[in-house]
Amino acid sequence: NPIFDHVEDINGRWAKVEPQCLTILRRAQDQGDLRADVPEYWLLQTFYSLVYVAAESVQSGHLARRDAPARVVDTLRHGLGAR
């Protein structure tokens, strides 16, 4: 989130988490859970965006806290197009 770009503690935490997230997303690609043709930067940015929107939705009362992880994973794996 650009609002926190100036906060060193958050930047340090982000730098530690990003490789872990990328490892998980690559594993999902390798296992066929995510498309193999999607670039790493897009995987990361899409994942971060979904987590951010889920957190905002929980905070605003539109999404139940316990439903948020499943909503993120489902949207990441299946998108929003009709099946």
Side-chain angles (χ1 to χ4, degrees):
N1 188 340
I3 294 171
F4 297 113
D5 283 349
H6 67 283
V7 181
E8 284 301 316
D9 184 49
I10 290 175
N11 290 332
R13 290 178 186 195
W14 198 267
K16 289 179 184 177
V17 169
E18 191 165 283
Q20 295 170 351
C21 288
L22 191 53
T23 296
I24 292 166
L25 292 168
R26 282 187 199 134
R27 188 177 310 141
Q29 281 183 311
D30 292 343
Q31 294 175 351
D33 290 321
L34 296 175
R35 288 178 25 196
D37 64 332
V38 177
E40 291 178 354
Y41 79 90
W42 194 252
L43 283 174
L44 275 171
Q45 295 306 314
T46 301
F47 176 68
Y48 294 155
S49 297
L50 288 170
V51 170
Y52 178 80
V53 169
E56 290 258 315
S57 296
V58 168
Q59 186 174 9
S60 69
H62 289 100
L63 181 63
R65 183 178 306 271
R66 289 184 177 190
D67 293 339
R71 178 71 61 201
V72 168
V73 171
D74 181 68
T75 304
L76 186 64
R77 292 186 68 219
H78 304 293
L80 297 174
R83 293 184 187 172

